[in-house]
Amino acid sequence: MGTLSEQAAEEYVAARAFSPGLPGFVGIAVDLLVDSAWAPSGRRPLRHGFLDTRSPRVVVVSGPPSPGIEVALRRMSDDLAASGRIVDRHRLTVLSQAGGTVHPDGPAHALGTGTAGIRVGLEAGLDGGGPLGLSRRWELAHTLAPVLAAAFANSPLRHGRPAGWRSVRQALRRDAPVRPLRGGPREGWAAYVMDAPGNAGLTPRQRIRAGGRLTGADLDRHIAGLRPPVAARGHLEIDAVDGQPGNGWRIPAAVTAVLLDDPRAAEEAAEATARLTGEPALWERAARDALTDPVLAAAARDCFLAAYAALSRQGVSRELRDAVAEFTERYVCRNRCPADDILDGVVAHP
């Protein structure tokens, strides 16, 4: 494909945004933030997925699309165990926090190169309406994302001191709107991509209007480098959660998947988060205040209760249900998040 006009570029992005599909398959990616800038380089195959290096401080364990959340969790557990052995051989330590050195006013790319997150990939949904429709899922993913970010905030420190945010990682995207400002899912995604700055500081739209040459391959590279909370990558990708300590990654993966893929839970989550589209500075509040913000706290309680009920209806393992229940009781019902535990420790041992 040759040089694209502005309209052709938008059409290119929109056409490749989604491959409609019935919800059911789940993919998980877990970032590992290591203590030294010597992460193992290159891509390594694992039993189910692969281990890749995003930056000297961040390696990514990516699992395959799997039929249901429990299969996805088992496969990721296998691959994380293998990845841990690789990291150990390089004499590195995986940090329990999702950040540590990144400045909250730092460049946007630091979110991917200096912090750790958990991403959940889901089927895009079906063309048309209904709780499993693409438009409804796109809308719900956007209103749910700041709630998940607040509940799982886990990066409050910079160089060992409080940074003024419960999630420095989410502070890097604090100006994000709750939902796309234009059109349906494909049009909204295309507009976001065209107006998002690239590595050189120019957006694709600015590049074209300045007389620059832009091809489909250029757009593909640009899209691959973007880290919005909700992305269209053929499937639906939700990247709203900080990395969690230990096996804590399982909880946001399960909660995210069930709230979007279970029709009843999706309806309840949509009702719980519907008012958030009109809330000012919501991503800033999620990053700074987390669940001490009463609006986010109320939405989180409703969403986590809906998630637990859906997991029970689906008959998932008792272990997983208990883990979600324990997190809900320890954090969500008390308007806390994992970052609060870290901050409590800093206050106790200044």
Side-chain angles (χ1 to χ4, degrees), residues 23-213:
F25 276 78
V26 180
I28 305 170
V30 177
D31 297 337
L32 305 179
L33 182 67
V34 296
D35 61 339
S36 179
W38 293 99
S41 61
R43 174 176 288 198
R44 301 168 185 237
L46 301 170
R47 180 177 180 184
H48 305 289
F50 57 87
L51 175 71
D52 204 358
T53 302
R54 179 180 294 155
S55 77
R57 292 288 309 278
V58 179
V59 293
V60 184
V61 184
S62 299
S66 301
I69 185 60
E70 289 205 281
V71 175
L73 293 175
R74 285 198 299 271
R75 290 175 172 177
M76 179 54 64
S77 294
D78 290 344
D79 284 354
L80 280 171
S83 300
R85 292 190 289 271
I86 294 171
V87 169
D88 287 344
R89 285 201 298 270
H90 286 77
R91 298 182 179 180
L92 298 171
T93 300
V94 176
L95 302 181
S96 61
Q97 299 178 40
T101 61
V102 171
H103 194 284
D105 295 325
H109 68 76
L111 189 143
T113 60
T115 70
I118 299 163
R119 286 169 299 289
V120 179
L122 303 171
E123 296 286 1
L126 304 174
D127 281 321
L132 301 183
L134 169 57
S135 295
R136 291 280 293 277
R137 287 166 67 77
W138 180 249
E139 178 78 18
L140 175 56
H142 279 87
T143 57
L144 182 60
V147 177
L148 296 171
F152 293 104
N154 187 44
S155 53
L157 305 182
R158 183 170 186 260
H159 298 303
R161 305 301 301 169
W165 302 82
R166 283 176 170 82
S167 175
V168 170
R169 184 173 193 267
Q170 305 303 341
L172 294 169
R173 54 166 63 126
R174 59 184 176 270
D175 295 327
V178 177
R179 65 181 302 278
L181 301 177
R182 174 178 146 191
R186 290 182 175 84
E187 296 78 14
W189 174 246
Y192 166 79
V193 169
M194 292 295 291
D195 293 325
N199 290 334
L202 290 177
T203 71
R205 197 183 308 280
Q206 290 169 334
R207 184 172 165 183
I208 292 172
R209 291 181 179 180
R213 182 176 180 272

Side-chain angles (χ1 to χ4, degrees), residues 296-341:
L296 287 164
R301 285 192 295 272
D302 289 345
C303 286
F304 273 75
L305 291 174
Y308 181 83
L311 292 170
S312 298
R313 288 194 302 272
Q314 293 181 7
V316 303
S317 70
R318 180 64 178 268
E319 179 188 9
L320 179 58
R321 283 183 284 139
D322 285 351
V324 172
E326 181 181 354
F327 187 95
T328 304
E329 171 61 26
R330 179 177 178 179
Y331 295 114
V332 179
C333 291
R334 300 180 184 183
N335 298 348
R336 289 175 61 86
C337 63
D340 289 312
D341 291 347

Side-chain angles (χ1 to χ4, degrees), residues 176-266:
V178 177
R179 65 181 302 278
L181 301 177
R182 174 178 146 191
R186 290 182 175 84
E187 296 78 14
W189 174 246
Y192 166 79
V193 169
M194 292 295 291
D195 293 325
N199 290 334
L202 290 177
T203 71
R205 197 183 308 280
Q206 290 169 334
R207 184 172 165 183
I208 292 172
R209 291 181 179 180
R213 182 176 180 272
L214 191 74
T215 67
D218 294 329
L219 279 172
D220 291 340
R221 284 190 294 271
H222 175 65
I223 291 170
L226 298 177
R227 294 284 179 269
V230 181
R233 305 195 188 277
H235 59 277
L236 191 62
E237 180 185 85
I238 297 90
D239 180 10
V241 174
D242 284 0
Q244 302 292 296
N247 288 326
W249 60 271
R250 300 168 70 246
I251 300 168
V255 169
T256 302
V258 79
L259 286 177
L260 281 152
D261 281 1
D262 182 273
R264 180 173 167 184

